[in-house]
Amino acid sequence: MSTNSILEIDKLSYAYEDKQVLEDIDFSIQSGSFVGLVGPNGSGKTTLIKLILGLLPHKRGTIRLFDTPIEKFKDWNRIGFVSQKANSFNTGFPATVYEVVSMGLTAKVGYFRFFTKQHMQKIKHAVDIVGMTEYLHKNVGDLSGGQQQRVFIARALVSEPDFLILDEPTVGVDAENVQRFYEMLADLNKNKGITLLLVTHDTGTMTSYATNIACLNKRIHFHGDPHSFEHMSDQDLSEMYGHNVHLVKHEH
Amino acid sequence: MISSFLQYEFLQNAFFTALLIGFIAPLLGTFVVVRRLSLIADALSHVTLSGIAFGLMLDKKLGGFALTPFYTGMGFSVLGSIFIEQLRRVYKAYQELAIPIILSGGVGLSVIFISLADGFNTDLFNYLFGSVTAVSRQDLWTILVVALVVTSLVFLFYKELFMLSFDEEHAVVSGIHAKRIHFLFIILTALVIAASIRIVGVLLVSALMTLPVAASIRLARGFKQTIAFSILFGEASVLIGLVAGYFFEIPPGGTIVVTAILILIITLGFKKLQQRSHFKKVMS
């Protein structure tokens, strides 16, 4: 194993044409942590994720993944990604749960190679982890929003990533299942040792599961443990969100 | 039927060609439909027509020219597919704009070439609506090569093509060369369209790529099954249509497409009955 740093961002800035979206971001993630990245709409969360995934070229600052500058980083298999769009896919698409999860291995298996029995086992195992085995051969379009999100997590897990990034994964999942969903993530973090970065605008439920919280609004306004986050003054929060907000404390 | 089949080479040519395109058109068609690119098939078939018209014109002007209209059509189809991709890249926000540009361009060129070739003749009519008699042995060999190339490339790149169809962003994040795979896909589509034209004709080729898939998608579970059912329906349409076309002396393009539509209607009806009985079971 390499050192403990999964992600290190230094003095990162980003602008779309003349609109500054991210400014002077310093941010790091240590191995084994479960980081919640919160921020209001338009705070640059998705842009930051795109930069980390190399979907956007960055011009100012540095990004290091697993101690390698992103420009040289090749080990994309070590990073799993569940996008915000995952649950707005074409629900008429005829693909079974098994087929969707198998896509998580496509790049790892590589060109001109086919899935082996071992790969098939891995696919079934990933589906099992998210508790969807009984739906293995059902079309994903026929499942509920929460179930679909689980399938997309399984797709990200099947390549056995060390670092899993989730962008607003609970959008479209009903409240009751959100809780179960976070429990599953916390379990992956604790028992499988997967480092998690969860992007969300919902500060409530997440604080009871995450080990670190970072607040983003163009800049990183806060980075620390959930306990001190909950004790952030309303004034600090308002400054960050740019209007009056009150943190909803989550009892647990 | 069987004795004339054994007796006439043109019937054998038509039969085997039909079997081949009944396989490759729905195979590629499944990817085309799920990617919501059905109209691209239409645009490409019209570009193929301009290629065919170009071939007919060369034949007329130069006489005994080495390239038959079938090959010029195939060449134009492939060039057209590359051009569509360029246009889709230029008009990122209006990707569908590429289709009317290419389609009208294809028809415009066709009209010019056809006029230069001194207007309509039976040859052109065969290309428009398909023909049982027009397939030569050499055409059959060419279509066989196209079918082998297309099938083996789809087999080889199946998992990448599938991934790209389902979720392009995810494919890119995972490190799949989305642009190259897409390029391969569009070229294969162009080849399949050009190959299918001999039997179903320019105007109906996109139907053979989409109708069997439309029926299959209602019944199948998963993507592989969708492909399998599409091919099954495609073969059924092509064979029934070809035999009907031969007996009634109608261009097979028409009978093939009408068969495919009948299959689609039966499928939809079957699905409706199934849902109704399921509903009854739930209610009782």
Side-chain angles (χ1 to χ4, degrees):
Chain A
M1 274 308 279
S2 60
T3 51
N4 285 329
S5 174
I6 299 271
L7 171 71
E8 258 185 81
I9 294 176
D10 215 20
K11 295 197 177 54
L12 179 72
S13 296
Y14 192 83
Y16 289 108
E17 308 207 332
D18 54 345
K19 193 174 173 278
Q20 195 73 27
V21 189
L22 296 171
E23 214 174 293
D24 219 11
I25 305 276
D26 287 325
F27 181 56
S28 65
I29 294 179
Q30 299 303 309
S31 174
S33 51
F34 179 168
V35 181
L37 180 69
V38 296
N41 288 332
S43 59
K45 289 174 300 194
T46 301
T47 304
L48 182 59
I49 296 302
K50 281 189 175 166
L51 286 163
I52 294 172
L53 289 168
L55 290 174
L56 285 174
H58 71 290
K59 287 159 201 142
R60 282 199 284 151
T62 56
I63 303 174
R64 293 172 73 86
L65 290 162
F66 297 95
D67 275 323
T68 311
I70 193 167
E71 299 81 6
K72 290 186 186 152
F73 188 73
K74 293 268 184 285
D75 249 351
W76 291 104
N77 282 317
R78 297 183 71 179
I79 302 179
F81 174 54
V82 180
S83 103
Q84 186 177 359
K85 276 197 249 158
N87 45 18
S88 64
F89 72 105
N90 167 14
T91 51
F93 196 102
T96 62
V97 169
Y98 180 90
E99 286 177 323
V100 171
V101 175
S102 78
M103 285 185 250
L105 281 177
T106 298
K108 198 171 186 173
V109 171
Y111 292 111
F112 309 110
R113 285 166 207 270
F114 301 93
F115 290 126
T116 62
K117 272 214 172 97
Q118 268 171 317
H119 295 127
M120 292 172 195
Q121 285 306 325
K122 277 188 185 174
I123 294 165
K124 284 179 189 160
H125 182 62
V127 173
D128 188 47
I129 292 176
V130 298
M132 290 294 295
T133 302
E134 63 174 303
Y135 301 96
L136 195 62
H137 297 294
K138 288 254 161 30
N139 276 342
V140 269
D142 298 336
L143 305 175
S144 75
Q147 290 171 326
Q148 284 170 357
Q149 201 53 281
R150 281 167 176 266
V151 173
F152 290 114
I153 305 263
R155 180 178 72 174
L157 287 178
V158 71
S159 61
E160 294 164 341
D162 300 310
F163 181 30
L164 184 59
I165 301 175
L166 304 111
D167 189 5
E168 304 270 10
T170 53
V171 172
V173 178
D174 53 273
E176 191 187 330
N177 283 314
V178 167
Q179 184 93 12
R180 280 181 58 202
F181 185 74
Y182 279 116
E183 272 161 23
M184 185 188 80
L185 290 181
D187 182 62
L188 288 174
N189 176 243
K190 262 191 214 124
N191 300 324
K192 306 252 175 228
I194 298 173
T195 307
L196 295 175
L197 172 61
L198 178 83
V199 179
T200 178
H201 62 259
D202 144 55
T203 50
T205 328
M206 201 250 309
T207 49
S208 24
Y209 297 97
T211 58
N212 295 72
I213 309 273
C215 300
L216 180 75
N217 196 357
K218 223 181 200 189
R219 298 162 168 274
I220 295 281
H221 286 258
F222 171 88
H223 191 186
D225 58 82
H227 186 71
S228 30
F229 177 68
E230 288 189 353
H231 288 85
M232 252 173 104
S233 67
D234 284 346
Q235 200 197 330
D236 287 343
L237 275 174
S238 307
E239 210 172 277
M240 183 187 110
Y241 274 80
H243 55 86
N244 279 336
V245 281
H246 302 277
L247 196 57
V248 182
K249 299 273 193 311
H250 194 78
E251 302 301 328
H252 51 95
Chain B
M1 174 80 197
I2 291 181
S3 63
S4 38
F5 177 73
L6 292 174
Q7 194 182 346
Y8 298 115
E9 192 187 89
F10 75 87
L11 275 184
Q12 296 162 10
N13 293 343
F15 175 77
F16 290 119
T17 304
L19 273 184
L20 290 171
I21 64 164
F23 184 85
I24 54 172
L27 172 67
L28 249 283
T30 309
F31 292 96
V32 170
V33 169
V34 296
R35 297 193 68 183
R36 299 187 167 140
L37 295 175
S38 308
L39 286 172
I40 280 189
D42 263 315
L44 284 179
S45 65
H46 286 82
V47 174
T48 313
L49 176 64
S50 65
I52 288 164
F54 182 69
L56 289 173
M57 184 194 75
L58 284 185
D59 206 36
K60 189 92 181 179
K61 300 282 171 203
L62 303 174
F65 194 65
L67 282 175
T68 65
F70 180 53
Y71 294 104
T72 48
M74 200 170 273
F76 271 56
S77 182
V78 170
L79 287 178
S81 69
I82 296 169
F83 197 47
I84 285 186
E85 279 321 292
Q86 293 305 323
L87 283 173
R88 274 158 58 90
R89 224 163 277 169
V90 174
Y91 292 103
K92 272 211 166 97
Y94 301 97
Q95 291 199 344
E96 74 282 3
L97 200 54
I99 292 161
I101 293 174
I102 292 290
L103 197 144
S104 50
V107 174
L109 282 176
S110 306
V111 172
I112 293 173
F113 291 141
I114 290 166
S115 306
L116 290 175
D118 293 336
F120 283 84
N121 54 26
T122 24
D123 231 13
L124 184 69
F125 189 79
N126 287 342
Y127 281 111
L128 285 179
F129 302 108
S131 163
V132 185
T133 53
V135 190
S136 69
R137 196 38 64 106
Q138 208 200 337
D139 291 342
L140 171 61
W141 291 129
T142 310
I143 291 166
L144 177 68
V145 171
V146 169
L148 286 175
V149 168
V150 167
T151 310
S152 44
L153 284 175
V154 169
F155 183 68
L156 206 54
F157 290 100
Y158 172 78
K159 65 184 191 310
E160 284 85 8
L161 284 167
F162 172 55
M163 192 177 188
L164 194 65
S165 311
F166 185 76
D167 185 347
E168 190 161 346
E169 189 187 43
H170 181 243
V172 173
V173 174
S174 321
I176 297 290
H177 297 94
K179 270 187 197 155
R180 287 181 217 173
I181 297 292
H182 180 75
F183 191 67
L184 171 77
F185 162 77
I186 202 82
I187 300 263
L188 291 181
T189 308
L191 284 175
V192 167
I193 287 170
S196 306
I197 274 173
R198 265 312 199 183
I199 295 282
V200 278
V202 168
L203 300 176
L204 298 167
V205 63
S206 72
L208 186 61
M209 295 190 89
T210 51
L211 290 177
V213 185
S216 164
I217 230 165
R218 298 289 300 158
L219 296 178
R221 211 185 257 177
F223 196 68
K224 278 190 181 155
Q225 217 178 70
T226 306
I227 293 180
F229 285 3
S230 302
I231 290 172
L232 199 72
F233 294 151
E235 291 287 14
S237 313
V238 162
L239 293 180
I240 296 170
L242 195 68
V243 172
Y246 173 71
F247 273 116
F248 300 115
E249 290 175 18
I250 296 170
T255 46
I256 288 171
V257 170
V258 169
T259 313
I261 287 181
L262 284 177
I263 291 175
L264 179 64
I265 291 172
I266 293 168
T267 312
L268 294 178
F270 173 75
K271 190 78 192 171
K272 199 147 206 173
L273 278 179
Q274 210 182 25
Q275 277 166 349
R276 199 171 292 167
S277 70
H278 177 72
F279 184 68
K280 266 185 195 157
K281 242 183 253 166
V282 173
M283 294 305 282
S284 59

